[in-house]
């Protein structure tokens, strides 16, 4: 192997290592058997959620995972491997990939890393069923607004009753 090739591979390992370190989640999938149309649709869904998906050679992933401190992930790097990286929402890649896998049997989740911890396939599937960050924030906002809303309804009811008594 030439020095240039070794240097290019070393650079790619460094790039993937940095992606793993900066990501809040990285989900590994086997995409073999997906059509070009399906891959395009999947990438579009992931991109809309701020998730980047890359097809990466297994040897590069093994070296990058070891450098980033995720050597336990090495078992999932076999066959055609794509990795979905998210730097914002740890649930988004798992949720999108699991939902997509329901309609595309060819997509197989393998495992991954979520919030700094290696996640098994079962754990990734559990995360996929969790509400997204936006759904959780909406729920919290609704819970915080409920007491204010109830007071407003009570004041309105008292005011309306006062109007009826005056009439």
């Amino acid at each position: 192997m030439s020095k240039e090739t070794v240097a290019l591979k070393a650079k790619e390992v460094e790039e993937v290592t940095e992606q793993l370190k900066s990501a809040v989640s990285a989900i590994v999938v086997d995409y073999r058997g997906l059509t070009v149309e399906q891959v395009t649709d999947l990438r579009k869904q992931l991109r809309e959620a701020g998730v980047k998906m890359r097809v990466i050679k297994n040897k590069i992933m093994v070296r990058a995972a070891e450098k980033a401190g995720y050597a336990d992930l090495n078992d999932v790097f076999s066959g055609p491997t794509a990795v979905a990286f998210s730097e914002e929402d740890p649930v988004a890649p798992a949720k999108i990939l699991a939902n997509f896998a329901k309609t595309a049997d060819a997509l197989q989740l393998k495992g991954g890393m979520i919030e700094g911890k290696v996640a098994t396939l079962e754990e990734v599937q559990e995360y996929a069923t969790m509400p997204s960050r936006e759904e959780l924030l909406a729920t919290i906002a609704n819970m915080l607004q409920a007491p204010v809303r109830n007071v407003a309804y009570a004041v309105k009811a008292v005011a309306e009753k006062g109007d009826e008594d005056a009439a």
Side-chain angles (χ1 to χ4, degrees):
M1 198 178 299
S2 72
K3 289 182 181 180
E4 293 170 355
T5 306
V6 171
L8 284 173
K9 289 188 179 198
K11 182 181 177 193
E12 189 172 0
V13 168
E14 287 303 317
E15 287 174 7
V16 175
T17 301
E18 287 307 311
Q19 270 190 306
L20 279 169
K21 286 180 178 178
S22 65
V24 291
S25 68
I27 308 300
V28 182
V29 295
D30 181 344
Y31 62 93
R32 179 183 15 202
L34 290 179
T35 65
V36 173
E37 184 179 316
Q38 288 173 316
V39 171
T40 303
D41 183 38
L42 176 59
R43 284 183 185 270
K44 180 179 181 261
Q45 290 179 35
L46 290 168
R47 192 172 36 256
E48 288 171 355
V51 178
K52 296 176 186 170
M53 187 169 91
R54 287 183 60 186
V55 175
I56 305 169
K57 290 186 178 199
N58 291 324
K59 286 196 182 232
I60 302 285
M61 280 306 306
V62 167
R63 290 185 178 126
E66 287 173 358
K67 281 184 144 188
Y70 301 114
D72 291 344
L73 270 177
N74 290 349
D75 295 341
V76 299
F77 302 130
S78 62
T81 301
V83 184
F85 296 96
S86 176
E87 294 183 3
E88 297 171 12
D89 187 353
V91 177
K95 191 179 239 9
I96 293 168
L97 291 167
N99 286 338
F100 195 85
K102 290 177 187 174
T103 59
D105 294 336
L107 185 71
Q108 300 293 318
L109 282 88
K110 295 181 177 182
M113 176 279 295
I114 300 173
E115 294 185 318
K117 296 179 184 165
V118 173
T120 64
L121 174 60
E122 292 77 24
E123 291 169 328
V124 169
Q125 289 172 336
E126 281 181 39
Y127 269 85
T129 61
M130 292 175 71
S132 70
R133 182 175 188 271
E134 289 76 24
E135 292 169 334
L136 288 173
L137 290 174
T139 302
I140 290 171
N142 197 25
M143 288 171 47
L144 292 173
Q145 288 177 345
V148 174
R149 192 178 314 120
N150 291 341
V151 168
Y153 288 144
V155 169
K156 182 180 176 188
V158 168
E160 289 174 352
K161 187 173 187 204
D163 289 344
E164 288 175 8
D165 289 344

